[in-house]
Amino acid sequence: MTLRAAGKLRHIGIGRTHAGTHVILIIQDLEVRVVNAITGELLRELTINTNRDYQPKNQKDPNPQ
């Protein structure tokens, strides 16, 4: 799916399993939640990385501790 964040289009991967699923996006600043519109199931929760246009589903932590 695609949304505009920080002035640019960002593409969010939620997986092929959810292709065609109606979703609701809950957005506050760069925090995004993707929720199934029918069941209310949380499909994905992420913080938009402004350095990337595509937000992959399996991101590695850029600052491992």
Side-chain angles (χ1 to χ4, degrees):
M1 78 179 49
T2 304
L3 68 94
R4 184 173 299 276
K8 295 178 84 177
L9 289 178
R10 309 292 175 173
H11 307 283
I12 299 174
I14 60 169
R16 187 171 300 270
T17 304
H18 304 293
T21 302
H22 291 275
V23 297
I24 297 172
L25 295 177
I26 302 171
I27 305 167
Q28 182 176 5
D29 297 323
L30 296 177
E31 301 291 324
V32 178
R33 289 187 176 136
V34 182
V35 178
N36 184 315
I38 297 171
T39 65
E41 173 189 6
L42 180 63
L43 302 177
R44 174 130 191 238
E45 187 172 16
L46 70 141
T47 301
I48 297 291
N49 180 347
T50 56
N51 296 324
R52 301 180 73 161
D53 289 334
Y54 179 70
Q55 310 295 311
K57 189 170 181 183
N58 297 321
Q59 289 183 345
K60 293 184 180 178
D61 187 0
N63 300 315
Q65 294 180 2

